[in-house]
Amino acid sequence: MPNIIEITNFSDPRLDLYARLSETQLAHCYEPSPGLFLAESPRVIERALDAGYEPLSLLVERRHIDGQAKDIIDRCEDIPVFTADFAILSKLTGYPLTRGALCAMRRRSLPSPATVCADARRIVVLENVTNPTNVGAIFRSAAALSMDGVLLTSSCSDPLYRRSIRVSMGTVFRIPWAFLDEPAAGCPARRMESLHSLGFRTAAMALCGNSVSVEDPRLGAEEKLAIVLGAEGDGLCAETIAACDYTVRIPMAEGVDSLNVAAASAVACWQLRIR
């Protein structure tokens, strides 16, 4: 039987997860154990449940209780389901809920980079990609185009931030990922060395004079390849590019110098996937 709770008091401490804790605070609230995250929209919440994440509570627009959110409410059994009209929930959270539903869920311990790479042949490596929208879009492309995993430097936006999860359409729950271990995470040369030690050749996506086309057949022929992408605007640091086996460009029409990093990831993953 659903435990439906009408919101009558914004200061209810049970609503702190949705109203007063930042995503960084949620991520660290149970340290050293993993913290929490917010999944947004019924479809994304459903994918998190399918992946085995534990729900703690739901925040659902009233009109969706017997509509779009009904199935997830039934799946979550007796956890609290806080509800109110759209305007009240938007005031509480500070943003409009996509499809009228949020779910607070427990994080899980992340695998090691070596575990993510153990049986992988194609992985994506993100360096300093701080925009959560780009991170989410890259995960969606990586999952859709048969990449085996994603590794991130510690300065990247957290893939379990609400916006990243939503933009990824929940594919962050499908594709294995990990943050690179320190000190390798902070040293470009050591990052590439760690990938080489796992059997990967590395391809830096960058606009350089000595770059090869993403269509170069040598890339597709590599048994294990890591596609390395940098931040929007700044791109990869020079040390990373120098430490990679290939520097790779996407051919552009005259007058256009580059693609957004999320778009570039889709092109690269498509072209360099295992056929």
Side-chain angles (χ1 to χ4, degrees), residues 121-125 195 200-204 224-228:
R121 296 182 62 191
R122 291 291 185 271
I123 62 169
V124 174
V125 180
L195 292 170
F200 283 88
R201 299 275 278 174
T202 51
K224 301 179 73 171
L225 187 68
I227 302 167
V228 188

Side-chain angles (χ1 to χ4, degrees), residues 54-74:
E54 178 189 352
L56 295 182
S57 66
L58 283 157
L59 186 71
V60 178
E61 186 181 345
R62 183 183 290 107
R63 68 188 178 97
H64 290 310
I65 288 177
D66 292 315
Q68 295 186 60
K70 184 178 186 306
D71 288 344
I72 61 169
I73 291 172
D74 290 343

Side-chain angles (χ1 to χ4, degrees), residues 35-109:
L36 306 176
F37 66 91
L38 298 179
E40 183 180 10
S41 87
R43 178 175 294 182
V44 168
I45 295 168
E46 183 176 36
R47 289 177 176 171
L49 293 172
D50 289 344
Y53 285 87
E54 178 189 352
L56 295 182
S57 66
L58 283 157
L59 186 71
V60 178
E61 186 181 345
R62 183 183 290 107
R63 68 188 178 97
H64 290 310
I65 288 177
D66 292 315
Q68 295 186 60
K70 184 178 186 306
D71 288 344
I72 61 169
I73 291 172
D74 290 343
R75 285 186 66 176
C76 291
E77 298 179 338
D78 59 353
I79 67 169
V81 180
F82 299 100
T83 190
D85 291 332
F86 178 84
I88 293 175
L89 295 187
S90 296
K91 182 179 178 182
L92 176 72
T93 61
Y95 52 84
L97 273 63
T98 301
R99 304 293 183 186
L102 276 176
C103 185
M105 310 189 90
R106 289 190 186 276
R107 289 174 178 255
R108 299 192 305 210
S109 296

Side-chain angles (χ1 to χ4, degrees), residues 18 32 41 56 90 114-115 124 132 141 179 182 201 216 220 235 254 259:
Y18 303 102
S41 87
L56 295 182
S90 296
T115 299
V124 174
S141 293
F179 284 103
E182 299 290 354
R201 299 275 278 174
D216 190 308
E254 186 175 353
L259 293 172

Side-chain angles (χ1 to χ4, degrees), residues 142-156:
L145 299 171
S146 301
M147 298 293 107
D148 299 309
V150 179
L151 300 179
L152 307 94
T153 62
S154 57
S155 56
C156 285

